[in-house]
Amino acid sequence: MSIRNRAAIAGVGQTEFSKDSGRSTLRMALEAILEALDDAGLRPEDVDSIVKMSANDDIYEIDLLRNLNLRNLRYFNEVPHGGGAACGTIASAVAAVTSGMADVVVTFRSLNERSERRFGETTVGGGVGHWRQYYFPHGLVTPAQWVAIHGQRYLHAYGATTEDLGRVSVLLRKHAATNPHAMMYARPITLEDHQNSRWIAEPLRLLDCCLDTDGACAVIVTSAEKAKTLKGVPAYITAATQGTGSRAEMMTSYQRADLGRLEESEAAARELWRVAEMRPEDMDVIQIYDPFTPMVLLQLEAYGFAKPGGAPALFRDGSLELGGRWPMNTHGGHLGDGYLHGFSHIVEGVRQLRGTAVNQVINPKTCLVTSGVGVPTSAIVLSKEAS
Amino acid sequence: MSEGVPLPYPARDRDTTPFWEAQDRHELCFQRCAQCGHVRYPVGPLCPECRSFDFEWSQSSGKGVIYSYTVVRHQTHPAFPAPYTVLLVELEEGPRLIAQLRAPEGAAFGVGTRVSIAWEDHPKQALPVFAIDGAAP
Ligand SMILES: [Zn+2]
């Protein structure tokens, strides 16, 4: 039996994003969860399931249970692989809700990534295990550096330039500039600003990289049937999937046939379009995981919005602007709004379908949301109507 | 490399120890499947092509071409003062290896440049680097 439109996002919540939240990740998670429950018209007592992302997080479901004074969680788990897990928590929630194992699922992400613990920060001293033993001793130690290897290959394969990367950044900052929630509110950049920003790891400059962020988001998933009866306007989950590729590692996977492609995202795309019974052409708005600019180009191609090597043209012809064919990352994404490991993209997708987004697109009915890339990934399609 | 700050070193395990021991002898060795001949990397117990556990260690020529690279200009680790160049080299035997470039300042290189292996000793682990073919290291 297909999961198509049988579950829905009934509520969303979000704290402010900043460089220093001044409070614990647990407190922010609770604030976002209470806001999301209130948005849905549910009470904490209605929650019987929590699904979380596992990486770089020390909040356990029992911490939430104690603070919310819950008793029994019928279903809980956590999804690995960093930002690749964001829509994966939704996929897991859908599985739980459509199988009857859970009724109201809380998913969330809460980070003090700027003020406390930076994601991808390298430890000094000691031995390095797993696949990282092949990279760390050679000085390849951060996500930006791992992604730079993919980015350079992409530029070489398709004759793209760092200006093509810059246009991604310019678009994201343009959308953030009119979003008061965004860390880069009222701070648009030009292509020249991008080209003048300092190198991090060639071909990546500072303005190709996401923003270390403090903040939290929460999303409530329940059955489509129940969602219809609640206060919150539902966003139906038309498809949800995880995906992997060959020779998989976390952000390296350098033995793959072609590093100018994203196998995980291609796999997720195939499953997503099959389950949704839709195609890229059917999307009215898209929220693409954007840790570093090359990964946006690679995903647009993997999900079928452009042919291989064709994504840069979408940034030159206006396709991804608010008035374009596929308005992208309408909140400003990880480079403009803030880096919540893909969760703010889900929140923004719901708001667009409800018609309550700050940079509102005209009457969108469908939204693609993707999660972390170059890692085992995940993605969802949301719809305004369950048809 | 920075004096005094130790490099991150591989935490050897029961699969990878022979790979790293070979590097301490300045040999780059890959597992070659005894059944189908497939050369695999990273190190693993099973041949992904034919699923045989049987293999032998075979030494790489250390010659290859640059498949991709990055010039790291923002320092993130005290053992690696920027700038430095990290290559992804596609070796003649097939696997792609990450290692640093050793070349004179301003040396021309890019995707497709032919390179050969050289070795550097460190307290915990000898490591390969690559030099551009036909250029003085
Ligand atoms: Zn074999």
Side-chain angles (χ1 to χ4, degrees):
Chain A
M1 196 190 323
S2 171
I3 59 154
R4 191 177 187 277
N5 289 335
R6 290 177 55 220
I9 294 175
V12 294
Q14 190 178 40
T15 68
E16 84 290 354
F17 291 175
S18 72
K19 291 181 176 179
D20 186 355
S21 68
R23 54 207 197 277
S24 70
T25 52
L26 178 57
R27 175 172 171 140
M28 285 194 296
L30 290 161
E31 289 173 9
I33 289 166
L34 287 172
E35 184 180 310
L37 286 168
D38 186 58
D39 179 50
L42 291 164
R43 298 166 306 150
E45 291 72 23
D46 298 318
V47 174
D48 64 352
S49 167
I50 296 174
V51 179
K52 64 185 282 280
M53 297 165 72
S54 60
N56 211 44
D57 187 355
D58 47 17
I59 302 171
Y60 291 98
E61 67 294 315
I62 47 177
D63 298 319
L64 299 173
L65 174 146
R66 279 197 319 278
N67 280 275
L68 292 166
N69 197 20
L70 307 180
R71 287 185 179 230
N72 183 29
L73 294 173
R74 286 201 287 156
Y75 183 92
F76 51 91
N77 68 20
E78 51 184 55
V79 184
H81 300 307
C87 287
T89 66
I90 305 299
S92 181
V94 169
V97 160
T98 57
S99 65
M101 293 180 73
D103 184 27
V104 173
V105 186
V106 166
T107 71
F108 71 97
R109 189 64 163 161
S110 183
L111 301 162
N112 275 333
E113 192 152 279
R114 174 74 189 203
S115 65
E116 288 186 339
R117 188 154 55 138
R118 299 184 70 185
F119 188 63
E121 194 166 62
T122 55
T123 50
V124 177
V128 183
H130 286 119
W131 59 88
R132 288 186 176 153
Q133 68 188 285
Y134 303 109
Y135 310 122
F136 274 53
H138 300 282
L140 206 64
V141 295
T142 68
Q145 293 160 7
W146 304 328
V147 166
I149 296 284
H150 290 268
Q152 189 70 257
R153 184 67 198 185
Y154 179 88
L155 298 186
H156 171 82
Y158 300 113
T161 67
T162 65
E163 290 200 349
D164 292 318
L165 304 181
R167 288 187 189 93
V168 179
S169 188
V170 169
L171 179 79
L172 296 168
R173 293 289 292 269
K174 183 178 178 180
H175 292 170
T178 53
N179 174 9
H181 179 269
M183 291 176 79
M184 293 299 175
Y185 174 56
R187 292 178 64 189
I189 59 164
T190 63
L191 191 55
E192 194 180 3
D193 293 332
H194 170 271
Q195 292 285 305
N196 289 335
S197 71
R198 64 187 171 90
W199 288 113
I200 298 298
E202 293 183 27
L204 302 181
R205 293 180 167 91
L206 180 66
L207 292 178
D208 291 301
C209 304
C210 56
L211 308 165
D212 285 331
T213 302
D214 288 10
C217 294
V219 172
I220 310 298
V221 176
T222 188
S223 67
E225 211 168 48
K226 184 179 184 109
K228 280 174 202 162
T229 69
L230 298 174
K231 180 186 87 177
V233 177
Y236 296 97
I237 301 164
T238 307
T241 189
Q242 294 176 285
T244 59
S246 66
R247 321 248 160 168
E249 299 170 0
M250 276 285 282
M251 305 190 76
T252 42
S253 308
Y254 295 146
Q255 306 306 319
R256 281 190 181 158
D258 185 355
L259 290 191
R261 288 171 42 197
L262 285 176
E263 289 188 17
E264 295 91 348
S265 298
E266 291 174 3
R270 280 193 297 275
E271 176 70 358
L272 206 63
W273 301 135
R274 183 189 72 78
V275 173
E277 300 168 22
M278 290 177 182
R279 299 181 306 160
E281 292 80 356
D282 298 319
M283 294 300 105
D284 293 334
V285 57
I286 59 178
Q287 313 296 345
I288 303 294
Y289 195 94
D290 46 357
F292 303 99
T293 54
M295 290 309 202
V296 176
L297 301 176
L298 283 157
Q299 278 176 97
L300 288 167
E301 295 168 14
Y303 282 91
F305 296 98
K307 298 234 179 319
L314 298 176
F315 290 85
R316 288 195 295 266
D317 69 13
S319 294
L320 308 171
E321 307 267 340
L322 291 179
R325 186 176 182 190
W326 294 303
M328 186 191 85
N329 297 15
T330 44
H331 54 329
H334 287 149
L335 275 70
D337 181 36
Y339 179 44
L340 255 285
H341 296 187
F343 248 83
S344 57
H345 293 54
I346 302 171
V347 171
E348 175 69 6
V350 171
R351 288 178 175 160
Q352 284 289 347
L353 296 182
R354 288 175 170 182
T356 59
V358 169
N359 295 320
Q360 183 62 49
V361 172
I362 298 166
N363 195 25
K365 295 202 161 47
T366 53
C367 180
L368 168 70
V369 185
T370 73
S371 292
V373 280
V375 298
T377 192
S378 56
I380 56 176
V381 170
L382 299 174
S383 294
K384 186 173 187 174
E385 288 148 18
S387 57
Chain B
M1 306 296 154
S2 177
E3 295 300 320
V5 181
L7 293 186
Y9 59 88
R12 299 177 180 189
D13 63 36
R14 290 181 181 192
D15 289 324
T16 66
T17 293
F19 176 79
W20 294 116
E21 284 178 346
Q23 298 210 356
D24 275 340
R25 299 191 302 271
H26 296 186
E27 294 172 9
L28 176 63
C29 290
F30 294 120
Q31 293 162 292
R32 182 196 298 278
C33 175
Q35 186 162 293
C36 78
H38 175 67
V39 176
R40 67 179 181 263
Y41 178 72
V43 178
L46 194 64
C47 172
E49 294 295 323
C50 75
R51 294 173 184 135
S52 166
F53 284 106
D54 299 328
F55 68 90
E56 58 211 18
W57 290 99
S58 76
Q59 192 173 344
S60 163
S61 69
K63 293 184 179 304
V65 299
I66 298 174
Y67 181 85
S68 191
Y69 65 93
T70 181
V71 182
V72 177
R73 297 198 180 274
H74 171 68
Q75 186 171 341
T76 58
H77 192 291
F80 300 106
Y84 59 95
T85 300
V86 180
L87 306 179
L88 180 62
V89 174
E90 189 161 286
L91 292 155
E92 288 179 339
E93 297 80 13
R96 297 191 193 123
L97 195 76
I98 284 286
Q100 289 193 16
L101 174 69
R102 290 288 175 265
E105 183 104 13
F109 71 94
V111 173
T113 299
R114 300 202 63 84
V115 292
S116 295
I117 205 164
W119 293 92
E120 292 182 351
D121 289 317
H122 303 283
K124 291 270 192 182
Q125 175 68 57
L127 292 169
V129 294
F130 283 93
I132 298 167
D133 284 1

